[in-house]
Amino acid sequence: MNAPYDKKADDRRLAEERKKLVRDAPDMTGAELATRLEKTWRTPLGLFGWLSSVDHKEIGRRYIVTALIFLALGGVLSIIMRLQLARPDNDLVSASRYNELFTMHGSTMMFLFAVPVMEGIAVYVVPLMLGTRSTGFPRLNAFSYWMYLGGGLMLWIAFVFNVAPDIGWFAYVPLSGPEYSPGKRADIWAQMITFTEVSALAAAVVLVCTILKMRAPGMTLARMPIYVWAMMVVAAMIIFSMPAVALSSGLLISDRLVGTQFYNPVERGDALLWQHLFWFFGHPEVYIIFLPAAGFVSQIVETFCRRPVFAKPVVVLALVSTGLLAFGLWVHHMFATGLPRVGYSFYTAASMAVAIPTGLQIFCWIATMWDGRPRFDVPLLYVIGFIITFVIGGLSGVIIASVPLDLQLHDTYFIVAHFHYVLIGGAVFPLLGAITYWFPKITGRMMSEGLGKVGFWMIFLGFQVAFFPMHIAGINGMPRRVYTYPAGIGLEIPNLLATIGSLVVATAVLLFVINMAMSLARGAKAGPNPWDAPTLEWATASPPPSYNFDHIPAVEGETPLWDVRDRLPVVTGLRVDERETLLTTVVAAAPESREPIPEASIWPFISAVAVAVFFVSSIFSPWAFVFGGIPCAIALIAWFWPKSLRREPEPVIS
């Protein structure tokens, strides 16, 4: 007969086991320990070190800076388009050049800015929030950045040499097929998609492995910060959705390069296949962009309202349900294509249902502010601007989820207004708040509060002036993707207001960049936790050292820096003479094993160059698929060639 369960004895046993692993560190920043760790984890100096770095913080900074450069380039194109549309019958640019401008603007913003900047911030912040010293697969992380940079350079070099794509950022067939788009413009666009999707998939795999297996001991799934939950959902969405657009662009390249007929209805192909594949990715991408922003909002609201987010389980379930529902909405982009009417009701219902989890999150954020002690610093102002703007965009989204209304408003400027309200209001506002929030952690300097507030009000008011009139222009019948319009049909004032507002937004973004540059040069120095935030990234120096933490922290609650005010409990037993981190179990985050971390390597960069040459050359000849694979294989073999470890991975020492 089994003895009865003794909970007190079991608790004592668990406490004794925990004492073997965790202790209160008497000196978290010992000079000797820091020196030894810095020597072990530092990146080599010089050009070789820059090209071979696998430090997630360095890679995250590169992602962020590169994405902001692409934001600036895409913004310049948008200003040129708005100047063209500022008055009727304008001839600032030609029709063909305008096609290039809106294709480059949309492709840059969607594929080279919005998704990469969200992944870049996650690559930098998530390991710090999890209390670990690196990401999983750090060399794959470096490879993902080089692939992203290669795709962006290819697209913009093509623009400089006047062979930019002119098929729209959605590249609908048959207009993007060989019959209607001769030359290489469409091929360049399709291959840019391949670059960015390989990059995004690699970064998503890195994030999933890091979140599931490298959390600090005690950080159970229930204790994970909401932003980390958001990025785990986003990474899973990337893994399941982006192969669809990679497949669609691959089929398009095949039709154009070797004469297949996947999208040619005359040869039993299907032009609508493109839209199904593209929008199966395209609508989840909207939430791939939005959900990280929702994570930003949760962290900012929590910190600046001085209390945990209200109903955290509801917020997390809303993130997960949004990620699931996002895969059932793509046909609402295709209501005007003549699909069977019976299916429309299902997609209408799903399009309206997806507003429910988002609405729940908004109510939880408002409840947190209502019940907390809000401090209206710049990051929280951007959150408030986000809530107002995103609600307007969400309401217009519910309107166009209805098939009769969508048939009237489809391909009008009403859709342009909705799209920008959702993406700029729903992603860029939280992004600017997040950059302001984590700027002291990344740089060790505080941004100017005065300039920040001026910039916020400029961008918030300028945005409303720029995009709200587009609803009116769309209702008045202004089609999308037109480069001019006649006078006397009621479109002059909405377009003039939109142009004025866009110039104000551009000025505000420029002011934000000036604020960053000035603060980086001579801003007030930030301590480890200038906002008195509750999550682990604020438990280390600003900016963090190459090894992130002297000791891996242990977590005992959802807000560890508020729960333990004196000093965090930490894990001991990791080596300091070799790169090593701790792996934990998926659900409970119990210590599982010590894992070696790869050192800096040039092979991810060389592999990315080889793959880039392969992709670019395949635009011009199908033989590239044969001969271009050879250098790729050589680089990958060198990358994965077995290396002798000085020792084998060991279990955690008790």
Side-chain angles (χ1 to χ4, degrees), residues 47 122 226 283 381:
L47 178 62
I226 293 176
H283 202 84
L381 291 179

Side-chain angles (χ1 to χ4, degrees), residues 347-415:
Y347 292 99
T348 294
S351 301
M352 294 183 176
V354 78
I356 296 173
T358 303
L360 289 173
Q361 290 184 81
I362 290 173
F363 282 119
C364 289
W365 295 326
I366 293 174
T368 305
M369 288 188 274
W370 184 273
D371 194 45
R373 301 188 301 276
R375 193 170 74 241
F376 293 99
D377 292 340
V378 172
L380 190 60
L381 291 179
Y382 276 110
V383 166
I384 295 171
F386 148 78
I387 291 175
I388 295 170
T389 306
F390 190 75
V391 166
I392 296 173
L395 290 174
S396 64
V398 172
I399 289 171
I400 59 177
S402 172
V403 176
L405 285 171
D406 182 80
L407 291 175
Q408 297 298 315
L409 298 171
H410 188 76
D411 273 347
T412 70
Y413 257 75
F414 190 95
I415 305 298

Side-chain angles (χ1 to χ4, degrees), residues 508-523:
V509 172
L510 179 62
L511 182 62
F512 188 89
V513 172
I514 292 172
N515 190 1
M516 290 175 64
M518 292 176 58
S519 301
L520 186 61
R522 49 190 174 86

Side-chain angles (χ1 to χ4, degrees), residues 122-455:
V123 163
Y124 190 103
V125 172
V126 164
L128 294 170
M129 296 185 88
L130 297 180
T132 187
R133 286 179 173 167
S134 180
T135 60
F137 307 118
R139 293 181 180 178
L140 182 63
N141 197 21
F143 174 80
S144 74
Y145 170 76
W146 296 120
M147 289 301 298
Y148 158 57
L149 180 63
L153 289 177
M154 183 190 70
L155 182 68
W156 275 88
I157 289 172
F159 181 75
V160 170
F161 285 99
N162 199 29
V163 286
D166 55 1
I167 53 177
W169 70 271
F170 36 79
Y172 282 168
V173 296
L175 296 180
S176 59
E179 183 179 356
Y180 296 100
S181 293
K184 297 300 178 183
R185 295 176 185 268
D187 299 290
I188 290 169
W189 181 90
Q191 206 61 286
M192 181 273 296
I193 296 297
T194 311
F195 272 97
T196 55
E197 304 323 311
V198 169
S199 168
L201 285 167
V205 169
V206 167
L207 287 172
V208 167
C209 295
T210 304
I211 293 169
L212 292 182
K213 291 299 296 178
M214 301 178 72
R215 304 194 304 275
M219 186 181 285
T220 63
L221 291 178
R223 292 174 178 173
M224 277 200 322
I226 293 176
Y227 174 64
V228 178
W229 267 107
M231 288 314 305
M232 187 164 71
V233 173
V234 166
M237 292 176 69
I238 289 173
I239 291 170
F240 284 103
S241 69
M242 289 201 173
V245 73
L247 173 63
S248 64
S249 64
L251 298 181
L252 177 61
I253 292 171
S254 180
D255 276 8
R256 295 179 56 85
L257 191 62
V258 297
T260 56
Q261 306 292 333
F262 291 108
Y263 301 123
N264 184 359
V266 177
E267 297 294 338
R268 297 182 180 272
D270 188 354
L272 284 185
L273 174 62
W274 170 268
Q275 291 196 39
H276 280 294
L277 289 174
F278 184 83
W279 289 118
F280 184 79
F281 145 81
H283 202 84
E285 187 186 31
V286 173
Y287 295 98
I288 288 169
I289 296 167
F290 166 70
L291 290 184
F296 297 157
V297 171
S298 292
Q299 298 307 139
I300 291 170
V301 166
E302 182 175 72
T303 295
F304 289 93
C305 293
R306 309 295 306 139
R307 61 148 292 165
V309 172
F310 178 82
K312 178 183 174 181
V314 173
V315 176
V316 171
L317 288 173
L319 293 170
V320 175
S321 58
T322 299
L324 293 173
L325 286 170
F327 285 90
L329 311 180
W330 81 93
V331 174
H332 80 208
H333 294 271
M334 302 171 61
F335 282 162
T337 59
L339 295 174
R341 293 296 188 258
V342 145
Y344 284 176
S345 59
F346 295 100
Y347 292 99
T348 294
S351 301
M352 294 183 176
V354 78
I356 296 173
T358 303
L360 289 173
Q361 290 184 81
I362 290 173
F363 282 119
C364 289
W365 295 326
I366 293 174
T368 305
M369 288 188 274
W370 184 273
D371 194 45
R373 301 188 301 276
R375 193 170 74 241
F376 293 99
D377 292 340
V378 172
L380 190 60
L381 291 179
Y382 276 110
V383 166
I384 295 171
F386 148 78
I387 291 175
I388 295 170
T389 306
F390 190 75
V391 166
I392 296 173
L395 290 174
S396 64
V398 172
I399 289 171
I400 59 177
S402 172
V403 176
L405 285 171
D406 182 80
L407 291 175
Q408 297 298 315
L409 298 171
H410 188 76
D411 273 347
T412 70
Y413 257 75
F414 190 95
I415 305 298
V416 177
H418 160 71
F419 194 66
H420 285 82
Y421 261 88
V422 169
L423 285 182
I424 297 181
V428 176
F429 279 19
L431 173 66
L432 297 178
I435 291 175
T436 307
Y437 176 61
W438 278 307
F439 187 86
K441 177 54 58 180
I442 297 172
T443 66
R445 302 276 183 173
M446 301 293 293
M447 290 183 68
S448 167
E449 190 74 10
L451 283 179
K453 289 182 176 178
V454 171

Side-chain angles (χ1 to χ4, degrees), residues 33 36-37 40-41 133 574-580:
L33 176 62
R36 295 177 67 187
L37 285 171
T40 301
W41 287 85
R133 286 179 173 167
L574 292 178
R575 297 172 69 103
V576 296
D577 57 337
E578 293 183 21
R579 296 188 179 205
E580 188 177 66

